[in-house]
Amino acid sequence: MRSGARLRRWVARARLSSLRTTFTVSFAAVAAAVTVLVGFLSYDAAARLVRVDQQTVFEGVVQDLLDEVRHSALTPADFATADADGGPRDELIRPSGTVVQVLGPDASVVDRGHPPLPVGADDRRIAAERPAGQLVEHRDVDVGDGMYRVATVSLGDGRGAVQIAQEFSDTEDLLRELQQRTVLLVGAVVIAAGLFGWWLARRITSRLVRLAGAAEDVARTGRLGIQVPVAGYDEVARLGRSFDRMLGRLAQSEEDQRRLVQDAGHELRTPLTSLRTNISMLRRIDELPPAVRGELVDDLAQESRELTDLVNELVDLAAGQSDREPLRRVALADLAEDVAVAARRRTGRAISVRVSGDTVVDGRPGALQRALSNLVDNAAKFDRGGSEPIDIVVTGAGTPAAGTGAGTGTGTGASACTGVGSGAVVRVEVLDRGPGIAEEDLERVFDRFYRAPDARSLPGSGLGLSIVREVAAAHGGGPFARRREGGGSAIGFTVGGGGGGSGG
């Protein structure tokens, strides 16, 4: 068992670790893709701009040289180093640090460039050309340790030519260094994104780990009272709070079931013991006098009826049948009339119904009728004299409640079902002239199986008023009980309003 529990915990942690790893890798992958794309586009734009700018400058120098030799009859001596100060050579060198090399009529080097430029067949041909401004197109050549872009322009009349060159290897070295730095920056960003993603994933999944640990503890120990760690207001926090509320509801349901079983066992023990005693007497029924036989049979019938009623009420209470009944528009005045007719036929008592105000609510008719019937049966049982009628008073919204005197409300409207009952409060009250309820019992008459000391000798299960409380709570109201002036009790419940009633 312990190895199985450890295995389950390991699997849960592995899944969460996998989620953390997936989140980290995904975050790093997205960051890497964005960084690589931005870095590539930035480098490409920068390299293109630098190369185009350098090419534009060189083409401008070549064009200036072409214009000058076409409009002026220049000789190799005009481009000599000695005449460079303020001469054509200086105008070529100044804009971009261009290398200038002068060729004579026979293509011999008259003024060597720094560094010296190679002289090819096309350069020798251009030097002997008669038209001025003939051009050997740009070409890239190796000069020493660098790469140069070279162009040759004829001076005309076979006087020679001028070679101009621009080094671009330095620019390429600069771009390569920029490329390397971009790659390093992308790598650093990816690593930083991975670390940040790992930290963020750990921060998020740590709460999931604690939540999973709480769930595992519940599954392993069966204890529902475990505190669930909840922090924040995001989806994980909402999940934790929902899980905590779910555990609370389950714990409350388990406690209610435990109390119901304990109370039911206690209440069933007495009638079952009495039944066993009477059944054992049946073995000697032939020896008993006729009067004792009749009493024995009557006791058995009465105890079986009480046991049947108790079991039925327990089943109704445990199954929660009222929660499955569909909602309908219910006129409590008509419902009270139906209950009064049935009670008159069953008990032979005079029962009156008084109605005021609008008594129509959204509710479950069967549950409401059961609650009202329990109140009437309770009044008939305790008001054994029967000298005065039992009154059912239904007071609608906006109408002052009937009766005066101190009372108590024990409603549990906070747990009412959503959408049950109307916004207006309707009050249902049953009045009798029985012995009344002692002050110390007013707070407990709606508890399950509670029976006042004066009522323990009377038939009943102690569940009737607790069912009234459950029905009232399910309809957004609550029960109440009070003593009447002149003797008797007023017991009832409210529907709607989302809170418990009060005697008034």
Side-chain angles (χ1 to χ4, degrees):
M1 293 295 291
R2 292 182 179 178
S3 61
R6 284 196 295 269
L7 178 61
R8 286 194 297 271
R9 287 198 296 272
W10 182 85
V11 170
R13 288 187 183 126
R15 288 175 178 173
L16 289 170
S17 299
S18 176
L19 176 63
R20 183 180 299 174
T21 302
T22 301
F23 189 87
T24 303
V25 172
S26 300
F27 192 89
V30 172
V34 173
T35 306
V36 168
L37 180 61
V38 172
F40 172 77
L41 294 177
S42 300
Y43 170 78
D44 183 70
R48 189 184 303 274
L49 183 63
V50 169
R51 290 187 178 116
V52 169
D53 182 68
Q54 189 180 43
Q55 178 72 18
T56 301
V57 171
F58 184 70
E59 289 177 352
V61 172
V62 172
Q63 188 61 45
D64 290 343
L65 177 59
L66 289 172
D67 293 339
E68 191 168 6
V69 299
R70 285 170 181 170
H71 293 88
S72 302
L74 300 177
T75 64
D78 294 327
F79 293 93
T81 305
D83 299 331
D85 188 13
R89 184 189 183 97
D90 186 55
E91 293 178 359
L92 295 177
I93 295 175
R94 187 182 299 120
S96 60
T98 307
V99 176
V100 177
Q101 180 169 281
V102 183
L103 303 179
D106 56 353
S108 60
V109 179
V110 175
D111 187 11
R112 191 174 302 277
H114 301 284
L117 301 177
V119 179
D122 290 338
D123 300 322
R124 287 191 285 273
R125 178 181 57 79
I126 284 295
E129 287 285 347
R130 299 195 63 80
Q134 296 297 307
L135 174 67
V136 174
E137 295 293 338
H138 309 157
R139 65 191 186 277
D140 298 336
V141 296
D142 290 322
V143 179
D145 295 333
M147 289 291 295
Y148 284 77
R149 186 175 292 109
V150 181
T152 304
V153 177
S154 65
L155 297 177
D157 294 330
R159 291 191 296 272
V162 176
Q163 289 181 299
I164 55 176
Q166 181 187 50
E167 185 179 8
F168 64 87
S169 58
D170 289 344
T171 302
E172 294 301 322
D173 291 342
L174 176 63
L175 292 177
R176 276 193 296 272
E177 183 178 358
L178 177 62
Q179 186 180 44
Q180 293 173 357
R181 292 188 178 184
T182 302
V183 171
L184 291 176
L185 178 62
V186 169
V189 170
V190 171
I191 294 174
L195 293 175
F196 179 75
W198 176 82
W199 173 82
L200 186 61
R202 182 175 182 181
R203 180 181 176 86
I204 293 175
T205 58
S206 60
R207 291 181 291 167
L208 291 175
V209 170
R210 292 195 295 270
L211 189 59
E216 292 167 0
D217 289 341
V218 172
R220 185 177 65 257
T221 64
R223 293 187 294 109
L224 300 175
I226 293 177
Q227 185 67 31
V228 179
V230 178
Y233 299 94
D234 56 5
E235 287 77 4
V236 178
R238 288 171 53 195
L239 175 63
R241 279 189 286 271
S242 298
F243 185 65
D244 190 47
R245 287 194 296 269
M246 181 188 69
L247 289 181
R249 294 283 183 87
L250 289 175
Q252 183 62 44
S253 177
E254 185 182 54
E255 176 63 19
D256 291 343
Q257 289 180 1
R258 186 187 62 81
R259 287 196 304 109
L260 180 61
V261 170
Q262 289 179 347
D263 294 342
H266 175 74
E267 292 297 323
L268 287 170
R269 191 174 295 114
T270 299
L272 287 175
T273 300
S274 179
L275 279 174
R276 282 198 302 269
T277 302
N278 289 329
I279 290 172
S280 66
M281 300 252 331
L282 289 176
R283 301 176 185 273
R284 302 167 44 231
I285 192 169
D286 293 336
E287 303 174 7
L288 299 177
V292 176
R293 293 180 191 176
E295 291 179 1
L296 178 60
V297 172
D298 291 340
D299 287 344
L300 285 172
Q302 178 65 26
E303 288 164 359
S304 64
R305 283 195 299 270
E306 290 185 8
L307 186 59
T308 301
D309 292 340
L310 177 59
V311 170
N312 289 336
E313 289 181 339
L314 283 172
V315 170
D316 290 343
L317 197 61
Q321 292 179 355
S322 61
D323 290 341
R324 296 192 295 269
E325 187 180 4
L327 289 174
R328 291 172 48 191
R329 295 293 289 172
V330 181
L332 291 179
D334 297 340
L335 200 66
E337 290 288 354
D338 295 340
V339 170
V341 171
R344 292 187 196 105
R345 184 172 57 250
R346 185 172 61 251
T347 64
R349 294 289 303 274
I351 300 175
S352 66
V353 178
R354 290 182 288 167
V355 179
S356 61
D358 182 10
T359 64
V360 178
V361 297
D362 293 327
R364 297 184 171 98
L368 293 170
Q369 185 172 12
R370 177 68 182 277
L372 187 52
S373 296
N374 285 355
L375 292 178
V376 175
D377 291 342
N378 188 74
K381 180 174 64 176
F382 287 100
D383 186 6
R384 286 169 289 179
S387 58
E388 293 189 28
I390 296 173
D391 296 327
I392 302 176
V393 181
V394 184
T395 307
T399 304
T404 59
T408 180
T410 59
T412 56
S415 62
C417 299
T418 303
V420 181
S422 61
V425 178
V426 178
R427 179 187 180 93
V428 180
E429 190 172 24
V430 175
L431 310 175
D432 65 67
R433 286 297 180 183
I437 303 174
E439 291 289 345
E440 60 271 17
D441 294 328
L442 286 175
E443 295 287 345
R444 302 186 59 189
V445 291
F446 295 101
D447 294 343
R448 288 178 184 173
F449 299 109
Y450 179 76
R451 302 183 72 187
D454 296 340
R456 290 173 185 169
S457 61
L458 298 176
S461 63
L463 288 174
L465 293 184
S466 68
I467 293 176
V468 172
R469 181 185 63 183
E470 298 294 334
V471 172
H475 287 77
F480 59 86
R482 62 181 175 84
R483 296 172 59 86
R484 294 182 66 190
E485 293 182 2
S489 303
I491 305 178
F493 61 92
T494 59
V495 176
S502 61

